Amino acid sequence: MSPLHRALPALLLSSLLACGPSDPEDCSRYGISLSPPPATARHLTCSSTACGDGQNPPTSGDHCGDTLRCRVHDTEQNRCVWLHNLEHGHAVFLYNCPEGCPEVVATLESLRQEAKTGSNGAIRALVAPDSRIPTRVAALLWRRSWGADAPDANAIRCLLQHQDAEAPEPELACLP
């Protein structure tokens, strides 16, 4: 047997391993970092105002026991509810445009299509307005956030590579 024939199985194995899932990209160049774990992440009543981790927008912490449907919402949603979506590994895309911004919403909806899909076939991400975010747009995962005055597809795609990574209840399906 020639040396090439002896090396062939190892070459094939290394080629197959190279095609496997890759590690998520480091997104720090977009200002995305991992927040410390929350002190608690309890379920509260949905009327509670004591939700979140103290950040704006919140990315973890105490939250409502309900979740939102994973779709585009045209009215502001309860932060305590979408925090529960984050706990399940869903992505949340927010926008703050009191004067309206259909182009921003369309871009976020397009990027929402790139989020992971649940076992029920529904895309595990939602879009909603939020008048309290300090930027025009924000993209969130459990313990991760990105915000800016305009959507940045590269930053949001980088963030989505981390979907489910820190979520306490990852990969859960979402109702459409």
Side-chain angles (χ1 to χ4, degrees), residues 63-128:
H63 53 274
C64 178
D66 295 337
T67 58
L68 290 173
R69 292 182 173 270
C70 287
R71 61 179 181 83
V72 177
H73 298 267
D74 59 3
T75 59
E76 195 154 343
Q77 302 296 308
N78 183 331
R79 285 178 163 200
C80 288
V81 180
W82 57 248
L83 272 168
H84 198 179
N85 286 78
L86 294 178
E87 183 186 44
H88 287 190
H90 305 162
V92 173
F93 301 141
L94 304 172
Y95 60 94
N96 182 1
C97 307
E99 72 289 351
C101 54
E103 71 290 343
V104 167
V105 176
T107 300
L108 293 175
E109 165 59 14
S110 174
L111 290 163
R112 186 186 86 83
Q113 302 295 321
E114 298 183 32
K116 292 183 179 180
T117 302
S119 59
N120 62 351
I123 297 166
R124 297 175 45 239
L126 63 98
V127 177

Side-chain angles (χ1 to χ4, degrees), residues 25-33 155 157-159 161-162:
E25 184 180 343
D26 175 9
C27 299
S28 59
R29 73 175 173 274
Y30 299 109
I32 301 168
S33 62
R157 285 182 181 121
C158 193
L159 180 79
Q161 290 180 35
H162 296 270

